[in-house]
Amino acid sequence: MEFLKKTTSQTVVLEEATLFENSRPGACGIALPPLDVPAADVAKVFGNWARPNDLHLPELSEPEVVRHFTRLSTWNYAIDLGIYPLGSCTMKYNPRLNEEIARSGAILEAHPYDPEEWTQGHLAVMHELQEDLMRVTGHPAVSLQPAAGAQGELTGLMMIAAYHRAQGKPRKTIITADTAHGTNPASAALAGFQIVQVTTDQDGSVHPEAVKAVLNNDVAALMVTNPNTLGVFEKHIKTIADMLHEAGALLYIDGANLNAVLGIARPGDYGADVIQFNLHKTFSTPHGGGGPGSGPVTVSERLIPFLPVPFVEKKGDAFSLSFNRPQTIGRVKAFVGNYGMFIRAWCYIRALGGEGLRRVSEDAILNANYLRSQLKDVFNMPINAPTLHEVVFNDRNQRDSGLETTKIAKRLIDYGMHPPTVHFPLCVRNAIMIEPTETESRREMDRFVGAVKEILATPDVEQAPVRVPRERVDETKAARELKLRHVFR
Ligand SMILES: *Cc1c(COP(=O)(O)O)cnc(C)c1O
């Protein structure tokens, strides 16, 4: 336990009850002047809409409220505290420069109903971002609207459905891979498709024969993440794209893992018809808790007519929002999308430039391979393929000692580190999926490796985490018995 002593310390962490438990009848956070008009009869004014008197909203003073939330904030873990190696999620550091600019006056004060003469600068930024994203994927058109990766997926699938309808031959099936994020089949179902799954080979790629076996003229598209959630580049992707196109089907690439291929491989070049970005993953806009996200899509020629409106158009030196797309699927988000996230992603891209973005991916790959080299002798590696930006292990070597994936993950919390993604991708039993991103230093990765090795050497802690304000919670009960309205007795 030497390492545990070095990485964490016993400090005071204040216990905190809920606001409802802390409530003191009569306590108040504001002081209003005495009423100088007759009191209104709420029941008379609002009738049935009047708020019942027995709501039991919490009553607290201002300092009590401030302390409540400040205490809770000290229980949190964040990317600003240490490594956050959550595979597939790309939890990279959010540069402060982006925040500074996104919070500056002209940007904060812009209103979506401002006339276009006033918003030329904002439209120019969005136009540049559109151009940058197309340059990254090699596609000829883009929509910035979707609010997250999953909504980008839904947007892409709605365009795919519209494309087949426009051909006069609606198709009902989407093929997904067994490495898929849960959002892939969910988005496909929401867009009205049925789902067929193909299996990834031992070498970490989907093989053309597997696709051929399920490909027919009812298949609208294949949906696959590339590099996939095993951190492996789908090596047959071009062959598969050609097969799909020959069969009149399209290729959807889930772009959540673009962090591995910036400036290295462009989905548009290998036949992708649509790909969503996760600006909150690849381009460092805040992610998780701090949201919102942003999930722009770029598309091939085939899907351009169906893109959402509006999009930013440049004519001469003037920028405007264009709605001119007769076959559009419509809007998928109010106004232009999550503009604040565009600013942050634009800053990140501008700060790094093309060379810098390529370096991001090279460093992300280098870091993942460093962790692979440090941990490959302790963990089992179920897939033997070159690692890109994330590496997937499992707990096969640990089973005899009674340690398994969940226990290892929970014990890492005692070391003051966020656990990796576990039990995903689903095609690897008891997966441990690690993505350090390019923003971790070698020192921080060594701290992580040290913690993992000490945990594996001392498998005696049964109920980790034991050094945090809340010990192991019953996750099944928490999911099955949601108590969100508990307070409104
Ligand atoms: C994160 C992720 C998504 C979903 O993105 P959200 O922005 O969370 O909606 C989809 N696919 C993969 C592979 C992901 O990692």
Side-chain angles (χ1 to χ4, degrees), residues 26-102:
C28 187
I30 47 169
L32 295 174
L35 202 59
D36 59 359
V37 291
D41 181 348
V42 179
K44 219 172 183 176
V45 178
F46 293 105
N48 285 343
W49 298 102
R51 198 168 74 185
N53 279 330
D54 57 352
L55 255 189
H56 301 295
L57 290 175
E59 296 168 85
L60 297 99
S61 69
E62 178 175 325
E64 286 171 326
V65 173
V66 169
R67 283 181 185 159
H68 171 76
F69 287 107
T70 307
R71 284 177 183 159
L72 289 185
S73 76
T74 66
W75 296 8
N76 268 349
Y77 190 78
I79 189 71
D80 291 342
L81 283 174
I83 191 169
Y84 213 128
L86 211 44
S88 201
C89 295
T90 313
M91 304 297 289
K92 65 171 76 173
Y93 173 73
N94 314 126
R96 289 301 177 270
L97 174 66
N98 303 353
E99 297 303 318
E100 183 76 19
I101 294 181

Side-chain angles (χ1 to χ4, degrees), residues 37-277:
V37 291
D41 181 348
V42 179
K44 219 172 183 176
V45 178
F46 293 105
N48 285 343
W49 298 102
R51 198 168 74 185
N53 279 330
D54 57 352
L55 255 189
H56 301 295
L57 290 175
E59 296 168 85
L60 297 99
S61 69
E62 178 175 325
E64 286 171 326
V65 173
V66 169
R67 283 181 185 159
H68 171 76
F69 287 107
T70 307
R71 284 177 183 159
L72 289 185
S73 76
T74 66
W75 296 8
N76 268 349
Y77 190 78
I79 189 71
D80 291 342
L81 283 174
I83 191 169
Y84 213 128
L86 211 44
S88 201
C89 295
T90 313
M91 304 297 289
K92 65 171 76 173
Y93 173 73
N94 314 126
R96 289 301 177 270
L97 174 66
N98 303 353
E99 297 303 318
E100 183 76 19
I101 294 181
R103 286 173 167 78
S104 61
I107 286 165
L108 268 191
E109 285 161 20
H111 189 280
Y113 284 137
D114 283 346
E116 276 176 7
E117 310 89 88
W118 297 3
T119 58
Q120 286 297 301
H122 301 292
L123 294 172
V125 166
M126 287 172 54
H127 191 264
E128 274 187 25
L129 182 61
Q130 290 182 174
E131 298 286 312
D132 291 344
L133 298 184
M134 288 189 280
R135 226 168 277 150
V136 167
T137 59
H139 272 150
V142 59
S143 169
L144 299 179
Q145 266 188 37
Q151 206 199 5
E153 293 171 27
L154 181 64
T155 304
L157 288 157
M158 286 165 64
M159 288 190 280
I160 288 169
Y163 167 85
H164 289 294
R165 274 199 306 274
Q167 310 287 307
K169 292 179 233 136
R171 296 183 173 208
K172 285 197 295 298
T173 307
I174 294 288
I175 307 174
T176 62
D178 57 353
T179 51
H181 195 268
T183 50
N184 288 188
S187 301
L190 207 57
F193 291 104
Q194 57 203 27
I195 294 111
V196 170
Q197 202 184 65
V198 287
T199 307
T200 301
D201 204 79
Q202 236 2 73
D203 66 4
S205 284
V206 171
H207 279 242
E209 303 82 67
V211 178
K212 197 183 271 172
V214 291
L215 190 57
N216 56 44
N217 60 13
D218 192 46
V219 171
L222 166 79
M223 197 174 186
V224 66
T225 309
N226 195 30
N228 63 33
T229 60
L230 295 165
V232 175
F233 193 88
E234 292 283 350
K235 59 184 173 190
H236 305 290
I237 195 71
K238 177 80 176 80
T239 314
I240 291 172
D242 292 344
M243 273 171 50
L244 291 165
H245 290 146
E246 205 161 299
L250 304 185
L251 175 60
Y252 185 107
I253 296 291
D254 178 332
N257 288 340
L258 270 173
N259 208 47
V261 293
L262 297 172
I264 300 172
R266 301 195 309 171
D269 295 339
Y270 60 69
D273 291 294
V274 49
I275 178 168
Q276 104 275 357
F277 285 80

